[in-house]
Amino acid sequence: MGKIVKVSGPLVVASGLSEANMADVVRVGEQHLIGEILTMSGDSAAIQVYEETSGLGPGAEVVTTGAPLSVELGPGLIENIYDGIQRPLEVIRQKTGGNFLPRGEEVPALDREKKWDFVPTVQAGDKLSGGDVIGTVQETTAILHKIMVPPTIKKGTVKWIRGGEFTVEEKIACLTLGDGSEIELDMIQRWPVRIARPYAQKFAPNKPMNSGQRIIDTLFPIAKGGTAAVPGPFGSGKTVVQHQLAKWSDVDVVVYIGCGERGNEMTDVLMEFPELTDPRNGEPLMKRTVLIANTSDMPVAA
């Protein structure tokens, strides 16, 4: 546990954190504001706080969690609405009963109570490695979620696996590793945001993506696996183009990140997507969408 010695806007300096590491998530002050250690110098740490720091002062306590800033991956992401550090906004609104996000609120990103129907695709005795699919969950009517072996596991043999309805934290399988140790798997993976997810093969972007907008497909075609940018001044329609691409593109999943958006523009997305139908399968667009509502009134760092 450390103590604050300096507060400069969202940047906080604390001492007494000799056991902490760079990139660790910390809880700051009485309200347990979420922060991340940027640099360490001896037992002193410079901390980026992802929430409003008004009211903080020297002497306030800082506690490290001992883990880097991470996201939770698993069934329940689709159809959800998060802020910039993966706090589920709808769940927080139900918990607090208000329309404003309280500081220091702690809510798990994935629902711990909801049960998912897990269908195994491997059996006892199968040899697996990181990234192999062990089963599936029908997350929404449009998305079949594949549950994989965490990429940090090199090789293992399935000792047991079971199907049925489970929460994301219940154990669904057990692997015996090469050294004889065993590891039990559930449906949730926590992954540090500063580390890229590994992949086995990278495909060349050689297939066109149907954006649903004829002018874009004709003059500015986009490849599946490629990237594109829409530069322009204020009010030129960048966000509207983003909305149209998210609505009508020929894609499986949309992760819509409204970073620094006006609140009314995010509201338009929240109001329209549940009402619109995916032209490919007739399902509501929210059945394939994750929304990150990181509006311009949030702290810049978040």
Side-chain angles (χ1 to χ4, degrees):
M1 183 187 299
K3 300 282 187 180
I4 292 177
V5 296
K6 177 183 176 183
V7 178
S8 178
L11 186 69
V12 170
V13 178
S15 61
L17 291 171
S18 56
E19 296 183 359
N21 299 303
M22 277 184 58
D24 275 4
V25 172
V26 295
R27 289 289 180 168
V28 181
E30 293 182 357
Q31 292 180 298
H32 297 96
L33 307 183
I34 299 174
E36 181 185 15
I37 296 179
L38 299 180
T39 60
M40 293 286 298
S41 177
D43 71 342
S44 180
I47 299 166
Q48 172 71 67
V49 180
Y50 290 112
E51 302 183 78
E52 175 60 46
T53 57
S54 59
L56 277 183
E61 293 181 349
V62 177
V63 180
T64 179
T65 63
L69 185 65
S70 303
V71 290
E72 292 185 351
L73 308 175
L77 283 174
I78 304 296
E79 293 189 277
N80 225 323
I81 305 167
Y82 296 102
D83 73 350
I85 46 179
Q86 210 194 12
R87 289 180 295 186
L89 297 178
E90 183 63 26
V91 176
I92 291 176
R93 187 181 71 84
Q94 294 172 0
K95 179 181 176 181
T96 62
N99 292 325
F100 294 95
L101 184 61
R103 294 194 295 170
E105 195 66 43
E106 285 190 77
V107 177
L110 298 179
D111 190 339
R112 297 299 197 265
E113 305 297 327
K114 184 172 181 178
K115 289 185 177 289
W116 302 92
D117 187 16
F118 174 72
V119 180
T121 56
V122 297
Q123 56 189 2
D126 287 352
K127 298 186 181 301
L128 303 174
S129 58
D132 287 341
V133 177
I134 61 173
T136 60
V137 169
Q138 192 69 47
E139 185 169 350
T140 71
T141 50
I143 298 297
L144 183 67
H145 191 122
K146 296 177 180 178
I147 307 298
M148 301 180 183
V149 178
T152 51
I153 296 177
K154 300 303 180 184
K155 288 185 179 180
T157 304
V158 179
K159 181 179 180 181
W160 58 263
I161 188 168
R162 56 179 183 163
E165 293 194 346
F166 308 103
T167 66
V168 291
E169 291 186 309
E170 289 185 278
K171 304 304 179 184
I172 55 173
C174 179
L175 297 184
T176 302
L177 306 183
D179 60 1
S181 61
E182 296 181 353
I183 183 169
E184 293 186 334
L185 305 179
D186 52 28
M187 289 188 279
I188 184 173
Q189 292 185 23
R190 295 166 184 83
W191 193 260
V193 298
R194 308 282 184 205
I195 300 175
R197 293 280 282 188
Y199 54 86
Q201 179 184 358
K202 195 170 187 177
F203 293 95
N206 54 17
K207 295 181 180 179
M209 186 188 81
N210 182 2
S211 71
Q213 311 302 306
R214 292 179 182 177
I215 187 69
I216 293 177
D217 292 341
T218 303
L219 299 178
F220 306 100
I222 305 169
K224 288 186 176 179
T227 57
V230 186
F234 301 121
S236 61
K238 303 185 296 296
T239 300
V240 175
V241 170
Q242 188 180 12
H243 287 190
Q244 292 300 101
L245 292 173
K247 290 174 188 174
W248 310 120
S249 293
D250 178 24
V251 295
D252 295 320
V253 176
V254 173
V255 182
Y256 185 99
I257 304 174
C259 188
E261 294 272 23
R262 300 179 186 90
N264 64 308
E265 291 175 340
M266 282 307 305
T267 302
D268 288 343
V269 176
L270 297 175
M271 296 293 286
E272 284 187 47
F273 272 49
E275 302 294 331
L276 294 172
T277 300
D278 188 339
R280 299 187 308 160
N281 53 30
E283 297 290 338
L285 282 180
M286 281 300 292
K287 297 291 184 184
R288 63 167 192 179
T289 304
V290 184
L291 293 178
I292 313 297
N294 196 202
T295 50
S296 53
D297 61 340
M298 297 287 289
V300 173

